[in-house]
């Protein structure tokens, strides 16, 4: 038996003056999305989700990199 494939896409829009953000996207995916959303047994990939910890994590990252 095969397990379903989880696909998530994130877009990060920045200025050309901002350094490479690959690690930030990797952190958003692995430390926020996977931990707080994908591992939630109620999460359905085909539906929008609301997760306070995910949102708070994104806000913290945004504040850290805000110019």
């Amino acid at each position: 038996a095969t397990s379903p494939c989880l696909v998530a896409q994130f877009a990060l829009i920045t200025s050309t003056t901002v350094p490479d953000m690959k690690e930030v996207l990797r952190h958003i995916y692995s430390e926020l999305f996977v931990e707080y959303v994908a591992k939630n047994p109620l999460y359905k990939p085909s539906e929008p989700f609301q997760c306070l910890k995910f949102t708070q994590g994104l806000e913290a990252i945004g504040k850290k990199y805000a110019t």
Side-chain angles (χ1 to χ4, degrees), residues 24-37:
V24 174
L25 283 171
R26 194 166 290 138
H27 175 78
I28 290 170
Y29 177 77
S30 64
E31 301 297 323
L32 298 178
F33 179 76
V34 170
E35 291 300 316
Y36 299 131
V37 179

Side-chain angles (χ1 to χ4, degrees), residues 4 6 13 16-17 25 27 29 51 53 55 61:
L6 176 65
I13 301 168
T16 56
T17 62
L25 283 171
H27 175 78
Y29 177 77
C51 177
K53 287 187 177 186
T55 303
I61 289 171

Side-chain angles (χ1 to χ4, degrees), residues 40-65:
N40 181 337
L42 301 176
Y43 169 65
K44 295 179 183 172
S46 61
E47 296 180 8
F49 64 89
Q50 290 184 352
C51 177
L52 183 59
K53 287 187 177 186
F54 178 79
T55 303
Q56 289 172 334
L58 286 179
E59 288 172 351
I61 289 171
K63 289 177 183 174
K64 180 178 178 179
Y65 292 97

